Amino acid sequence: LKKMLSVEPHRRPKANDILYDGWLAAGADPEYYVARSALTDKINAALKEKARQETEGANDWDPEIVGKMERLGYENEEIQKELARPGSHIYYLYQNLLKSRA
């Protein structure tokens, strides 16, 4: 408990470390950890799938507009990464350049 209350973040244990600590886990139901592990696996699989879909869709952007953005000073890698995030300023810039072209 003393470690958990530490003010310094680098000295504080992570949540998983606390959950799997022998003292805390001694009175816990083993089924809880099995269910938690299965849920974590499902979440990780969903996150990997989402990341895969985002990287597949990265090549769908108009190369002419991406070129304009590069001339404005943005790196291609940054453009591709930020276009996958609809709330980013690069995404809005892309949409405005797309509208102005039409």
Side-chain angles (χ1 to χ4, degrees):
L1 291 177
K2 187 176 180 181
K3 289 180 188 176
M4 290 174 21
L5 298 175
S6 176
V7 178
E8 299 174 34
H10 67 279
R11 297 185 121 188
R12 228 182 345 235
K14 294 185 178 27
N16 276 346
D17 297 337
I18 295 168
L19 284 174
Y20 291 105
D21 183 80
W23 180 78
L24 186 61
D29 181 13
E31 293 297 319
Y32 168 78
Y33 291 101
V34 171
R36 180 172 168 74
S37 176
L39 179 61
T40 303
D41 292 343
K42 287 180 184 177
I43 291 171
N44 287 337
L47 290 173
K48 285 179 184 176
E49 177 64 21
K50 183 179 178 188
R52 186 189 61 77
Q53 289 173 352
E54 286 176 354
T55 55
E56 280 181 359
N59 298 328
D60 295 341
W61 307 109
D62 188 320
E64 181 183 333
I65 294 176
V66 171
K68 286 181 183 179
M69 295 171 78
E70 286 175 342
R71 287 191 296 277
L72 289 172
Y74 294 102
E75 297 290 328
N76 189 1
E77 195 173 292
E78 180 186 14
I79 294 169
Q80 297 299 327
K81 179 182 164 190
E82 294 298 317
L83 284 176
R85 294 180 43 228
S88 70
H89 73 282
I90 291 178
Y91 180 84
Y92 287 124
L93 176 61
Y94 177 87
Q95 294 300 322
N96 286 333
L97 290 172
L98 189 62
K99 286 179 188 175
S100 68
R101 189 180 67 174

